[in-house]
Amino acid sequence: MAKEKPKDEKSSFDAVPWSCTDMKLLLISLFSLCSLATMFQFFPSTSGFSTTAITSCFSKLASVSSNISSSPPEVHPLREEQLGSDSVVRRAFNPVGSAAYLFVQMGAYRGGSNNFAIVGLSSKPLHVFAKPQFWCEWQPHGGPGGDSNSTFASGYRILPDWGYGRVYTVVVVNCTFPVDVGLDGSGGQLVVHATTGGGGDRAVQTEERFVAVEEAPGSVNASAFSARPKFDYLYCGSSLYGDLSPQRIREWMAYHARLFGERSHFVFHDAGGVHPGVMEVLRPWVEKGIVTVQDIREQERFDGYYHNQFLVVNDCLHRYKFMAKWIFFFDVDEFIYLAPKTNLDSLLASLSPYTQFTIEQMPMSGKLCRSIDHGKTTRMWGIEKLVYRDVKRGVRRDRKYAIQPRSAFATGVHMSQNVAGRSLHKTDGRIKYYHYHGTIAARRDPCEEFVNATAVTYDGTPYVLDETLRRVAGAVRRFEHKMIGSRLARTRQ
């Protein structure tokens, strides 16, 4: 299948069939321009001509010529309709090109001694209306080669995005072999065979093969599958996009680094939202080894749901499967809160019989602030000044969750439906999350209305005063200063 050209590489030349005559004319024109550029180097500067401009023009034309294929694109012959001997007109259908890729791999990871997970995207109509299949083949290094030296297994496909996919849907392919593979130190590669299953064209069964995993000899340490993980808690963030507020990210990072403790790590996925101001806020934590930033902007080529967030969280789950005891999934406008006299270690120890638990939402206003703070809110953190909680009843609130990754096969944004073990959805208020919807992309002071009341109705929604996070803001500020000093003191909204 031909590789799709990124949008930003399109040019007006893409649709033009170039003959040999066309190429000769173009080369002659470029040669003439080059000669002119050389001549103008000897002209006085007062002549009005800019040699720099001419050279720049020449460079652009040369760049264009390098992008033009030396051979013309294939022209598909036209199949004409035919009149049969029975006087029936048999129409012809002429397929050209491909609408979507069969598979777009983001990552592939070991899930154990005989198991792998391949995370990627695939054509949504293909998986909704056809029956594509995956086969897994382990090819060890150093053997005689051929199928006789390979181990095969059928691939089990999981579609974890709840039908939210667009042109592409998320697919997690689980390869479980009947025996251990690659543990003898010889190394090898995992080859995936993918078929269309009658999708796209029922007359054609297309098969593609690709190397999903390449392991060097001696690179696999089987003890890692049962050893204590490096981190107790790991944060897997969804795709970050848009014009995010550096100050809001700063607050979120300091708050959760304090909450999660020393044996924790945070993974952010940059889908265009980690602009220089946000990176400046994250850099001190990156330098301390507490944060990892992954650039995933290339995924924008493939039209999936919400910047492919289902793809991102599944990749993160499998990438860090053996590096964390618990993985948390929530957003950067949400703050985890534990009940008084509760710490994360003791809480999660009590929840260890469960593979996952969901977390109740406390929705906060992103506009209402207290009258006593008027005139000083620009110097306050968001969790200090946004103190009114939505108490409207009868509304279904989204939940976020944490999961023990070694017992999960795939995951979602709000919970996983592919786990081994039990799930808990009632934690009796021991853990909640405060949600400041719409504030993360506000590059200004969010306070729009100042209220002098413990309860108020605003835009038809009832709110009550809730200063829970306001009371811990001072401790979070001191923690940040202790960890990274005052280098973020001048962070802008």
Side-chain angles (χ1 to χ4, degrees):
M1 181 180 295
K3 185 176 180 182
E4 179 180 278
K5 181 180 288 186
K7 294 180 179 179
D8 59 354
E9 292 182 5
K10 290 182 179 179
S11 73
S12 59
F13 292 92
D14 289 349
V16 181
W18 288 83
S19 65
C20 293
T21 303
D22 295 327
M23 291 300 295
K24 288 178 180 178
L25 289 173
L26 178 62
L27 291 174
I28 291 172
S29 300
L30 291 175
F31 178 78
S32 300
L33 282 174
C34 183
S35 301
L36 286 172
T38 303
M39 291 171 59
F40 278 120
Q41 291 179 7
F42 301 100
F43 284 13
S45 59
T46 57
S47 62
F49 292 99
S50 170
T51 56
T52 302
I54 294 175
T55 305
S56 175
C57 180
F58 169 72
S59 299
K60 290 179 181 179
L61 285 171
S63 175
V64 169
S65 66
S66 66
N67 290 329
I68 300 173
S69 173
S70 58
S71 59
E74 178 184 358
V75 178
H76 297 270
L78 177 66
R79 292 173 56 242
E80 302 284 355
E81 61 184 51
Q82 297 179 350
L83 179 64
S85 58
D86 54 358
S87 298
V88 174
V89 178
R90 287 174 173 77
R91 302 293 302 276
F93 295 84
N94 293 274
V96 177
S98 299
Y101 290 107
L102 177 56
F103 195 77
V104 181
Q105 178 178 319
M106 180 176 182
Y109 311 97
R110 268 193 179 269
S113 59
N114 68 332
N115 176 268
F116 295 86
I118 303 94
V119 183
L121 298 168
S122 186
S123 166
K124 181 177 180 178
L126 186 69
H127 287 268
V128 173
F129 300 109
K131 296 181 179 179
Q133 294 181 322
F134 296 88
W135 286 90
C136 311
E137 177 185 0
W138 176 258
Q139 297 179 349
H141 290 328
D147 289 352
S148 61
N149 199 43
S150 296
T151 303
F152 291 88
S154 60
Y156 177 72
R157 64 188 178 102
I158 303 173
L159 309 178
D161 65 6
W162 300 0
Y164 282 113
R166 290 167 58 87
V167 173
Y168 287 97
T169 191
V170 178
V171 180
V172 177
V173 180
N174 183 288
C175 296
T176 301
F177 293 97
V179 296
D180 293 347
V181 293
L183 300 187
D184 58 358
S186 63
Q189 61 183 14
L190 175 67
V191 178
V192 177
H193 304 246
T195 67
T196 56
D201 189 338
R202 293 179 181 175
V204 179
Q205 175 67 295
T206 303
E207 176 179 319
E208 300 284 352
R209 295 192 301 170
F210 60 93
V211 176
V213 174
E214 183 81 40
E215 291 181 347
S219 62
V220 178
N221 180 10
S223 65
F225 306 139
S226 57
R228 182 189 179 188
K230 180 179 180 180
F231 306 112
D232 289 336
Y233 317 119
L234 187 133
Y235 169 76
C236 279
S238 291
S239 307
L240 293 180
Y241 59 92
D243 190 17
L244 303 184
S245 166
Q247 176 59 28
R248 299 287 90 78
I249 297 294
R250 172 198 178 189
E251 298 170 16
W252 186 97
M253 189 62 236
Y255 179 95
H256 289 97
R258 175 177 178 267
L259 177 69
F260 281 17
E262 294 180 355
R263 284 180 52 83
S264 65
H265 196 75
F266 298 81
V267 181
F268 294 94
H269 296 92
D270 175 19
V274 183
H275 54 76
V278 171
M279 193 63 219
E280 184 178 348
V281 166
L282 294 177
R283 186 170 290 109
W285 303 100
V286 172
E287 293 171 356
K288 295 185 73 68
I290 296 173
V291 164
T292 294
V293 178
Q294 296 183 9
D295 183 344
I296 60 162
R297 299 186 185 200
E298 188 179 354
Q299 55 77 32
E300 295 292 342
R301 293 172 53 194
F302 312 106
D303 184 15
Y305 179 76
Y306 258 97
H307 304 268
N308 288 305
Q309 62 175 338
F310 280 94
L311 173 69
V312 167
V313 296
N314 275 279
D315 180 84
C316 193
L317 169 74
H318 290 287
R319 188 181 186 92
Y320 295 98
K321 192 182 191 79
F322 298 103
M323 294 186 66
K325 186 174 182 180
W326 288 92
I327 293 181
F328 282 76
F329 296 90
F330 59 103
D331 293 327
V332 290
D333 59 355
E334 299 165 346
F335 289 69
I336 301 294
Y337 174 75
L338 304 180
K341 300 181 180 179
T342 302
N343 63 63
L344 202 55
D345 292 342
S346 61
L347 172 64
L348 295 190
S350 69
L351 298 177
S352 60
Y354 299 93
T355 296
Q356 74 173 336
F357 65 89
T358 57
I359 308 171
E360 181 184 4
Q361 179 185 163
M362 300 284 108
M364 301 294 289
S365 168
K367 299 179 180 179
L368 298 179
C369 298
R370 297 197 67 181
S371 296
I372 60 173
D373 296 329
H374 190 276
K376 54 184 178 181
T377 55
T378 56
R379 300 187 300 275
M380 300 173 68
W381 282 19
I383 58 175
E384 291 180 285
K385 55 192 174 186
L386 296 171
V387 290
Y388 284 90
R389 177 165 52 87
D390 180 346
V391 291
K392 190 173 185 177
R393 296 185 178 183
V395 179
R396 180 186 174 276
R397 309 288 188 189
D398 287 334
R399 302 173 77 89
K400 294 301 167 70
Y401 69 105
I403 199 167
Q404 297 195 61
R406 298 188 185 191
S407 298
F409 306 107
T411 198
V413 173
H414 298 290
M415 62 174 291
S416 172
Q417 293 182 318
N418 303 98
V419 297
R422 297 185 295 165
S423 298
L424 178 67
H425 302 295
K426 293 184 178 180
T427 57
D428 300 321
R430 290 180 290 170
I431 183 170
K432 308 174 183 178
Y433 76 93
Y434 282 78
H435 185 195
Y436 298 84
H437 180 69
T439 61
I440 191 64
R443 301 295 302 273
R444 52 172 175 72
D445 185 356
C447 295
E448 294 185 8
E449 296 286 339
F450 292 88
V451 180
N452 185 25
T454 57
V456 64
T457 297
Y458 180 75
D459 283 347
T461 300
Y463 294 90
V464 297
L465 182 67
D466 186 340
E467 297 185 303
T468 301
L469 295 194
R470 180 184 178 116
R471 288 190 285 268
V472 302
V476 175
R477 286 174 181 267
R478 292 190 293 273
F479 171 81
E480 181 197 59
H481 189 271
K482 174 185 174 182
M483 293 294 291
I484 61 175
S486 60
R487 57 191 295 185
L488 301 182
R490 297 183 180 275
T491 300
R492 294 190 171 192
Q493 297 288 341

